[in-house]
Amino acid sequence: MFDKIVAELARALNRKEISSVELTRTFLDRINKYKSLNAFITVDPERSLAQAKAADARIARGEGGALTGVPIAQKDIFCADGWLTTCGSKILSNFVAPYDATTIEKFNKAGAVCLGKTNMDEFAMGSSNETSYYGVVKNPWGIDRVPGGSSGGSAAAVAARLAPAATGTDTGGSIRQPASLTSLTGLKPSYGRVSRYGMIAFASSLDQGGPMCRTAEDCALLLNTMAGFDPRDSTSVDEPVPDYTQGLNQDIKGLRIGLPREYFSKGLSSEVAQVIETAIGEYKKLGAQIVQVSLPNSQLAIPCYYVLAPAEASSNLSRFDGARYGYRAKDYTDLLDMYCKTRAEGFGAEVKRRIMIGTYALSAGYYDAYYLKAQQLRRLIAEDFRKAFESCDVIMGPTTPTTAFKIGEKSDDPVAMYLSDIYTISVNLAGLPGMSIPAGFAPDGLPVGLQLIGQYF
Ligand code: GLN
């Protein structure tokens, strides 16, 4: 049962071939059995089973929907009423959310079961899940390897079949990169498609929640539930939500696939390149037409992002000061000392690095040179995509330059770490939707993901 995808589980539940309680127990047992992967920060079997029981009752009344009774793991960035919600940080290590994020509320309404809160890089800052206060997550495909980040716990959970699906968030690649490194299908929707209300903010103009599943069909099912306008998020977009399952399994004859020259140049490992080329060959066989496109400002995406994201983070994270909620330092002399010690003790090294970079970039005298410049580059990067889409319907390329790297390999070298998002970050800067799908395996047996970038919505 644990090896079935969401679509199959939903069918089995609706036909009453299994109960949600049974299914939830199966996954909880597996989470416990594979604890050493460290995929979850919090599990609360009592809560999950109560939801499962309610789902079974709902199905018995004939009121089940597409996800009723299906257990879903939630990234620990989403506030969930009554659940410890840490965002991977010590500073929120005692924070029990008093309300539901819109995404959680929508899953609850659908009757899905929250299986637990998954491990993640602290405040979603990272590409390897090594910055989490709760420790590294291991990649089920090779336990000496990182699962990617920041949604590394969600990725490891679904890859190891500890959950049939999970949520993630993607500010610069955090759904697509871990999906790629663990052979999942991960979708970052267009900016504004999924509400950010109750999703702890990292870089508000880039953050977007999305599904991490095993198939496109499952992603469609989850996105059907997650997507939609939310008056509580001023950046959510008031556009009708189509039924995403309607777009599945359509003919792709004549589809124009754009291959950006810059995504196939130096920096891409030959093992990954080979798998990607073979995958694209399959599309050709199915009748797609390949066109060369160019995204000339691609090399500016990382520097641009590492000004803008830290700038926004430095502002967003100012709320964590020990005064209202979360961790507070034990010994302090006065209010200022309390703030300083709380933040010094509560944040990890990567988060502090970002706060310092962001504060610097926004300070008087440097704002124009860094922040404003980065905003201008952001526009150029979005323009590149607009031009590329004049000659193609979808852009394809690798999701990551290499397969999963070793735990510890890049943790002392922030720049090397930042480069692992080289193909994903520009998509967030442009606000476009992107997804990573399994493309095959490199000779070392590790998974390779193919990235698909589409037009808005
Ligand atoms: N790895 C990138 C970073 O560290 C992106 C993270 C994300 O998408 N949340 O900022």
Side-chain angles (χ1 to χ4, degrees):
M1 198 47 76
F2 65 79
D3 203 26
K4 296 219 181 311
I5 60 168
V6 170
E8 294 168 324
L9 293 175
R11 272 193 292 274
L13 283 161
N14 270 308
R15 290 194 199 121
K16 305 196 185 78
E17 291 162 11
I18 40 160
S19 73
S20 176
V21 167
E22 219 179 318
L23 195 60
T24 303
R25 276 220 178 90
T26 303
F27 285 110
L28 288 170
D29 287 348
R30 286 183 65 77
I31 292 169
N32 192 39
K33 185 167 167 197
Y34 295 101
K35 246 195 207 137
S36 60
L37 291 172
N38 203 22
F40 285 80
I41 292 173
T42 305
V43 277
D44 187 339
E46 226 169 276
R47 254 171 206 285
S48 303
L49 288 166
Q51 275 189 310
K53 226 171 148 183
D56 284 332
R58 181 166 159 183
I59 293 168
R61 291 196 303 271
E63 292 164 10
L67 293 179
T68 310
V70 177
I72 310 243
Q74 299 289 351
K75 184 173 181 178
D76 206 20
I77 198 167
F78 290 101
C79 287
D81 195 1
W83 287 80
L84 183 69
T85 299
T86 71
C87 216
S89 183
K90 180 178 176 182
I91 213 157
L92 286 177
S93 55
N94 60 1
F95 177 64
V96 176
Y99 70 105
D100 282 327
T102 298
T103 290
I104 299 286
E105 195 178 271
K106 282 173 178 268
F107 278 115
N108 287 346
K109 255 199 201 126
V113 172
C114 176
L115 250 191
K117 308 292 294 290
T118 58
N119 204 340
M120 55 179 286
D121 278 303
E122 186 178 5
F123 286 104
M125 298 176 189
S127 308
S128 65
N129 219 114
E130 292 170 290
T131 73
S132 170
Y133 175 62
Y134 300 89
V136 302
V137 175
K138 291 174 180 159
N139 188 326
W141 291 95
I143 55 163
D144 60 335
R145 306 279 165 162
V146 304
S150 63
S151 314
S154 289
V158 181
R161 314 295 189 244
L162 313 184
T167 54
T169 61
D170 191 311
T171 305
S174 281
I175 287 176
R176 289 160 290 157
Q177 187 255 17
S180 172
L181 303 191
T182 57
S183 198
L184 300 183
T185 301
L187 171 66
K188 181 203 95 70
S190 297
Y191 183 74
R193 179 82 291 188
V194 170
S195 170
R196 294 185 299 106
Y197 179 79
M199 190 177 107
I200 296 170
F202 162 13
S204 309
S205 77
L206 299 156
D207 298 341
Q208 189 62 200
M212 299 178 75
C213 304
R214 285 168 47 207
T215 65
E217 183 182 17
D218 281 5
C219 279
L221 288 173
L222 264 73
L223 191 60
N224 277 351
T225 296
M226 296 173 80
F229 175 63
D230 181 1
R232 294 175 299 188
D233 171 6
S234 61
T235 61
S236 92
V237 175
D238 197 356
E239 279 275 324
V241 178
D243 176 357
Y244 293 103
T245 62
Q246 293 299 308
L248 297 165
N249 301 319
Q250 279 175 7
D251 193 0
I252 61 159
K253 202 160 278 153
L255 182 81
R256 294 168 309 161
I257 297 177
L259 303 183
R261 184 176 316 132
E262 296 78 8
Y263 282 27
F264 293 88
S265 60
K266 69 171 182 1
L268 177 63
S269 84
S270 58
E271 295 80 25
V272 171
Q274 196 131 50
V275 175
I276 295 299
E277 274 155 28
T278 309
I280 287 165
E282 291 297 319
Y283 284 93
K284 260 196 246 174
K285 282 189 217 155
L286 292 169
Q289 190 189 326
I290 305 296
V291 294
Q292 297 299 324
V293 297
S294 176
L295 302 169
N297 293 296
S298 294
Q299 81 283 7
L300 299 175
I302 299 251
C304 171
Y305 172 93
Y306 279 99
V307 170
L308 296 179
E312 295 185 27
S314 71
S315 165
N316 275 327
L317 271 59
S318 63
R319 72 192 66 176
F320 303 106
D321 57 9
R324 285 154 296 190
Y325 53 87
Y327 172 82
R328 179 185 294 179
K330 303 259 159 338
D331 304 308
Y332 49 85
T333 50
D334 56 17
L335 185 63
L336 183 63
D337 192 44
M338 190 279 280
Y339 289 155
C340 292
K341 285 198 174 123
T342 294
R343 288 166 69 83
E345 293 167 20
F347 289 135
E350 183 61 28
V351 172
K352 286 177 186 161
R353 176 161 31 239
R354 308 261 180 133
I355 292 173
M356 286 190 281
I357 294 171
T359 306
Y360 181 80
L362 289 176
S363 56
Y366 294 104
Y367 182 92
D368 288 350
Y370 296 108
Y371 185 76
L372 196 65
K373 199 50 149 186
Q375 289 287 31
Q376 290 165 339
L377 293 183
R378 181 174 189 171
R379 171 50 68 95
L380 291 179
I381 289 163
E383 262 307 288
D384 282 356
F385 281 108
R386 196 190 59 72
K387 286 199 193 111
F389 279 122
E390 284 173 0
S391 61
C392 66
D393 305 304
V394 61
I395 292 172
M396 280 190 197
T399 308
T400 59
T402 64
T403 54
F405 45 91
K406 287 215 164 88
I407 291 170
E409 192 179 318
K410 297 185 183 177
S411 39
D412 295 330
D413 187 349
V415 176
M417 189 70 88
Y418 298 169
L419 282 170
S420 51
D421 295 313
I422 182 125
Y423 306 129
T424 51
I425 270 181
S426 49
V427 176
N428 301 74
L429 290 167
L432 291 165
M435 87 194 276
S436 182
I437 65 172
F441 294 86
D444 58 3
L446 291 169
V448 173
L450 174 73
Q451 183 174 211
L452 281 66
I453 303 166
Q455 263 293 16
Y456 298 106
F457 298 96

PDB file of all heavy atoms in Angstrom, residues 75 124-127 149-150 169-174 202 305-306 354 418 421 425, ligand 1:
ATOM      1  N   LYS A  75       5.551  20.520   4.891  1.00  0.00           N
ATOM      2  CA  LYS A  75       6.823  21.169   5.217  1.00  0.00           C
ATOM      3  C   LYS A  75       6.629  22.022   6.467  1.00  0.00           C
ATOM      4  O   LYS A  75       5.605  22.696   6.614  1.00  0.00           O
ATOM      5  CB  LYS A  75       7.271  22.033   4.030  1.00  0.00           C
ATOM      6  CG  LYS A  75       8.645  22.692   4.218  1.00  0.00           C
ATOM      7  CD  LYS A  75       9.105  23.404   2.941  1.00  0.00           C
ATOM      8  CE  LYS A  75      10.484  24.047   3.110  1.00  0.00           C
ATOM      9  NZ  LYS A  75      10.965  24.688   1.873  1.00  0.00           N
ATOM     10  N   ALA A 124      14.217  27.972   5.289  1.00  0.00           N
ATOM     11  CA  ALA A 124      14.271  27.622   3.861  1.00  0.00           C
ATOM     12  C   ALA A 124      15.511  28.161   3.165  1.00  0.00           C
ATOM     13  O   ALA A 124      15.524  28.351   1.944  1.00  0.00           O
ATOM     14  CB  ALA A 124      12.992  28.059   3.132  1.00  0.00           C
ATOM     15  N   MET A 125      16.560  28.424   3.943  1.00  0.00           N
ATOM     16  CA  MET A 125      17.799  28.932   3.362  1.00  0.00           C
ATOM     17  C   MET A 125      18.801  27.795   3.234  1.00  0.00           C
ATOM     18  O   MET A 125      19.456  27.419   4.202  1.00  0.00           O
ATOM     19  CB  MET A 125      18.373  30.042   4.247  1.00  0.00           C
ATOM     20  CG  MET A 125      17.434  31.226   4.350  1.00  0.00           C
ATOM     21  SD  MET A 125      18.076  32.456   5.485  1.00  0.00           S
ATOM     22  CE  MET A 125      16.654  33.546   5.598  1.00  0.00           C
ATOM     23  N   GLY A 126      18.907  27.272   2.039  1.00  0.00           N
ATOM     24  CA  GLY A 126      19.857  26.192   1.815  1.00  0.00           C
ATOM     25  C   GLY A 126      19.474  25.343   0.625  1.00  0.00           C
ATOM     26  O   GLY A 126      18.375  25.466   0.075  1.00  0.00           O
ATOM     27  N   SER A 127      20.395  24.493   0.216  1.00  0.00           N
ATOM     28  CA  SER A 127      20.179  23.607  -0.930  1.00  0.00           C
ATOM     29  C   SER A 127      20.528  22.176  -0.573  1.00  0.00           C
ATOM     30  O   SER A 127      20.738  21.347  -1.449  1.00  0.00           O
ATOM     31  CB  SER A 127      21.058  24.047  -2.105  1.00  0.00           C
ATOM     32  OG  SER A 127      20.874  25.404  -2.368  1.00  0.00           O
ATOM     33  N   GLY A 149      17.701  20.814  -0.849  1.00  0.00           N
ATOM     34  CA  GLY A 149      17.007  21.667   0.109  1.00  0.00           C
ATOM     35  C   GLY A 149      16.362  22.826  -0.611  1.00  0.00           C
ATOM     36  O   GLY A 149      16.522  22.962  -1.815  1.00  0.00           O
ATOM     37  N   SER A 150      15.585  23.613   0.037  1.00  0.00           N
ATOM     38  CA  SER A 150      15.364  23.480   1.448  1.00  0.00           C
ATOM     39  C   SER A 150      14.283  22.462   1.838  1.00  0.00           C
ATOM     40  O   SER A 150      14.205  22.076   3.000  1.00  0.00           O
ATOM     41  CB  SER A 150      14.965  24.850   2.015  1.00  0.00           C
ATOM     42  OG  SER A 150      13.740  25.282   1.453  1.00  0.00           O
ATOM     43  N   THR A 169       8.151  24.436  -0.438  1.00  0.00           N
ATOM     44  CA  THR A 169       8.121  25.829  -0.878  1.00  0.00           C
ATOM     45  C   THR A 169       9.394  26.086  -1.661  1.00  0.00           C
ATOM     46  O   THR A 169      10.404  25.412  -1.456  1.00  0.00           O
ATOM     47  CB  THR A 169       8.041  26.829   0.297  1.00  0.00           C
ATOM     48  OG1 THR A 169       9.209  26.670   1.124  1.00  0.00           O
ATOM     49  CG2 THR A 169       6.793  26.611   1.134  1.00  0.00           C
ATOM     50  N   ASP A 170       9.302  27.036  -2.574  1.00  0.00           N
ATOM     51  CA  ASP A 170      10.377  27.242  -3.536  1.00  0.00           C
ATOM     52  C   ASP A 170      10.614  28.737  -3.696  1.00  0.00           C
ATOM     53  O   ASP A 170       9.777  29.447  -4.239  1.00  0.00           O
ATOM     54  CB  ASP A 170       9.945  26.579  -4.863  1.00  0.00           C
ATOM     55  CG  ASP A 170      11.045  26.462  -5.883  1.00  0.00           C
ATOM     56  OD1 ASP A 170      11.720  27.472  -6.122  1.00  0.00           O
ATOM     57  OD2 ASP A 170      11.222  25.366  -6.478  1.00  0.00           O
ATOM     58  N   THR A 171      11.749  29.203  -3.198  1.00  0.00           N
ATOM     59  CA  THR A 171      12.117  30.615  -3.276  1.00  0.00           C
ATOM     60  C   THR A 171      13.162  30.814  -4.376  1.00  0.00           C
ATOM     61  O   THR A 171      13.213  31.836  -5.036  1.00  0.00           O
ATOM     62  CB  THR A 171      12.679  31.079  -1.905  1.00  0.00           C
ATOM     63  OG1 THR A 171      11.709  30.785  -0.912  1.00  0.00           O
ATOM     64  CG2 THR A 171      13.015  32.561  -1.892  1.00  0.00           C
ATOM     65  N   GLY A 172      13.986  29.757  -4.544  1.00  0.00           N
ATOM     66  CA  GLY A 172      15.016  29.803  -5.580  1.00  0.00           C
ATOM     67  C   GLY A 172      15.268  28.414  -6.155  1.00  0.00           C
ATOM     68  O   GLY A 172      16.207  28.213  -6.925  1.00  0.00           O
ATOM     69  N   GLY A 173      14.444  27.455  -5.744  1.00  0.00           N
ATOM     70  CA  GLY A 173      14.630  26.092  -6.254  1.00  0.00           C
ATOM     71  C   GLY A 173      14.252  25.007  -5.264  1.00  0.00           C
ATOM     72  O   GLY A 173      14.403  23.815  -5.557  1.00  0.00           O
ATOM     73  N   SER A 174      13.784  25.392  -4.095  1.00  0.00           N
ATOM     74  CA  SER A 174      13.625  24.445  -2.994  1.00  0.00           C
ATOM     75  C   SER A 174      12.563  23.359  -3.148  1.00  0.00           C
ATOM     76  O   SER A 174      12.493  22.456  -2.319  1.00  0.00           O
ATOM     77  CB  SER A 174      13.356  25.193  -1.697  1.00  0.00           C
ATOM     78  OG  SER A 174      14.564  25.702  -1.201  1.00  0.00           O
ATOM     79  N   PHE A 202      10.271  33.911   3.829  1.00  0.00           N
ATOM     80  CA  PHE A 202      11.725  34.024   3.647  1.00  0.00           C
ATOM     81  C   PHE A 202      11.938  35.258   2.763  1.00  0.00           C
ATOM     82  O   PHE A 202      12.332  36.311   3.245  1.00  0.00           O
ATOM     83  CB  PHE A 202      12.236  32.715   3.066  1.00  0.00           C
ATOM     84  CG  PHE A 202      13.606  32.724   2.404  1.00  0.00           C
ATOM     85  CD1 PHE A 202      14.486  33.784   2.545  1.00  0.00           C
ATOM     86  CD2 PHE A 202      14.021  31.630   1.650  1.00  0.00           C
ATOM     87  CE1 PHE A 202      15.745  33.777   1.930  1.00  0.00           C
ATOM     88  CE2 PHE A 202      15.271  31.610   1.040  1.00  0.00           C
ATOM     89  CZ  PHE A 202      16.122  32.686   1.170  1.00  0.00           C
ATOM     90  N   TYR A 305      19.817  37.172  -7.180  1.00  0.00           N
ATOM     91  CA  TYR A 305      19.035  36.534  -6.115  1.00  0.00           C
ATOM     92  C   TYR A 305      19.684  36.736  -4.755  1.00  0.00           C
ATOM     93  O   TYR A 305      18.997  36.983  -3.759  1.00  0.00           O
ATOM     94  CB  TYR A 305      18.908  35.041  -6.433  1.00  0.00           C
ATOM     95  CG  TYR A 305      18.277  34.191  -5.337  1.00  0.00           C
ATOM     96  CD1 TYR A 305      16.904  33.952  -5.341  1.00  0.00           C
ATOM     97  CD2 TYR A 305      19.050  33.613  -4.328  1.00  0.00           C
ATOM     98  CE1 TYR A 305      16.315  33.159  -4.358  1.00  0.00           C
ATOM     99  CE2 TYR A 305      18.472  32.826  -3.341  1.00  0.00           C
ATOM    100  CZ  TYR A 305      17.105  32.599  -3.367  1.00  0.00           C
ATOM    101  OH  TYR A 305      16.541  31.819  -2.388  1.00  0.00           O
ATOM    102  N   TYR A 306      21.009  36.628  -4.691  1.00  0.00           N
ATOM    103  CA  TYR A 306      21.685  36.725  -3.390  1.00  0.00           C
ATOM    104  C   TYR A 306      21.868  38.163  -2.903  1.00  0.00           C
ATOM    105  O   TYR A 306      22.514  38.397  -1.893  1.00  0.00           O
ATOM    106  CB  TYR A 306      22.980  35.901  -3.368  1.00  0.00           C
ATOM    107  CG  TYR A 306      22.609  34.447  -3.102  1.00  0.00           C
ATOM    108  CD1 TYR A 306      22.509  33.517  -4.134  1.00  0.00           C
ATOM    109  CD2 TYR A 306      22.251  34.037  -1.817  1.00  0.00           C
ATOM    110  CE1 TYR A 306      22.096  32.217  -3.899  1.00  0.00           C
ATOM    111  CE2 TYR A 306      21.831  32.747  -1.577  1.00  0.00           C
ATOM    112  CZ  TYR A 306      21.757  31.844  -2.608  1.00  0.00           C
ATOM    113  OH  TYR A 306      21.327  30.565  -2.361  1.00  0.00           O
ATOM    114  N   ARG A 354      22.761  35.693   5.860  1.00  0.00           N
ATOM    115  CA  ARG A 354      21.779  36.346   4.980  1.00  0.00           C
ATOM    116  C   ARG A 354      21.276  37.656   5.586  1.00  0.00           C
ATOM    117  O   ARG A 354      21.063  38.629   4.870  1.00  0.00           O
ATOM    118  CB  ARG A 354      20.594  35.413   4.741  1.00  0.00           C
ATOM    119  CG  ARG A 354      20.991  34.027   4.262  1.00  0.00           C
ATOM    120  CD  ARG A 354      20.863  33.862   2.791  1.00  0.00           C
ATOM    121  NE  ARG A 354      21.263  32.505   2.436  1.00  0.00           N
ATOM    122  CZ  ARG A 354      20.582  31.717   1.628  1.00  0.00           C
ATOM    123  NH1 ARG A 354      19.470  32.127   1.081  1.00  0.00           N
ATOM    124  NH2 ARG A 354      21.029  30.506   1.334  1.00  0.00           N
ATOM    125  N   TYR A 418      25.465  27.798  -3.301  1.00  0.00           N
ATOM    126  CA  TYR A 418      24.532  28.673  -4.029  1.00  0.00           C
ATOM    127  C   TYR A 418      24.449  28.275  -5.505  1.00  0.00           C
ATOM    128  O   TYR A 418      23.404  28.406  -6.131  1.00  0.00           O
ATOM    129  CB  TYR A 418      24.954  30.145  -3.911  1.00  0.00           C
ATOM    130  CG  TYR A 418      24.955  30.707  -2.489  1.00  0.00           C
ATOM    131  CD1 TYR A 418      25.531  31.942  -2.201  1.00  0.00           C
ATOM    132  CD2 TYR A 418      24.366  29.999  -1.440  1.00  0.00           C
ATOM    133  CE1 TYR A 418      25.528  32.458  -0.902  1.00  0.00           C
ATOM    134  CE2 TYR A 418      24.368  30.513  -0.140  1.00  0.00           C
ATOM    135  CZ  TYR A 418      24.962  31.735   0.117  1.00  0.00           C
ATOM    136  OH  TYR A 418      24.964  32.249   1.388  1.00  0.00           O
ATOM    137  N   ASP A 421      21.740  25.984  -7.422  1.00  0.00           N
ATOM    138  CA  ASP A 421      20.430  26.468  -7.878  1.00  0.00           C
ATOM    139  C   ASP A 421      20.524  27.262  -9.178  1.00  0.00           C
ATOM    140  O   ASP A 421      19.606  28.001  -9.527  1.00  0.00           O
ATOM    141  CB  ASP A 421      19.804  27.359  -6.802  1.00  0.00           C
ATOM    142  CG  ASP A 421      19.489  26.587  -5.541  1.00  0.00           C
ATOM    143  OD1 ASP A 421      18.909  25.498  -5.663  1.00  0.00           O
ATOM    144  OD2 ASP A 421      19.831  27.063  -4.447  1.00  0.00           O
ATOM    145  N   ILE A 425      16.881  29.290 -10.057  1.00  0.00           N
ATOM    146  CA  ILE A 425      16.652  30.597  -9.429  1.00  0.00           C
ATOM    147  C   ILE A 425      16.021  31.629 -10.357  1.00  0.00           C
ATOM    148  O   ILE A 425      15.160  32.403  -9.944  1.00  0.00           O
ATOM    149  CB  ILE A 425      17.989  31.106  -8.821  1.00  0.00           C
ATOM    150  CG1 ILE A 425      18.082  30.613  -7.366  1.00  0.00           C
ATOM    151  CG2 ILE A 425      18.122  32.609  -8.901  1.00  0.00           C
ATOM    152  CD1 ILE A 425      19.325  31.053  -6.629  1.00  0.00           C
TER     153      ILE A 425
HETATM  154  N1  GLN B   1      18.891  27.334  -2.148  1.00  0.00           N
HETATM  155  C1  GLN B   1      18.327  28.637  -2.271  1.00  0.00           C
HETATM  156  C2  GLN B   1      18.644  29.440  -1.035  1.00  0.00           C
HETATM  157  O1  GLN B   1      19.375  28.979  -0.249  1.00  0.00           O
HETATM  158  C3  GLN B   1      16.831  28.543  -2.484  1.00  0.00           C
HETATM  159  C4  GLN B   1      16.118  28.139  -1.269  1.00  0.00           C
HETATM  160  C5  GLN B   1      14.635  28.091  -1.464  1.00  0.00           C
HETATM  161  O2  GLN B   1      14.137  27.961  -2.574  1.00  0.00           O
HETATM  162  N2  GLN B   1      13.925  28.239  -0.368  1.00  0.00           N
HETATM  163  O3  GLN B   1      18.176  30.524  -0.835  1.00  0.00           O
END
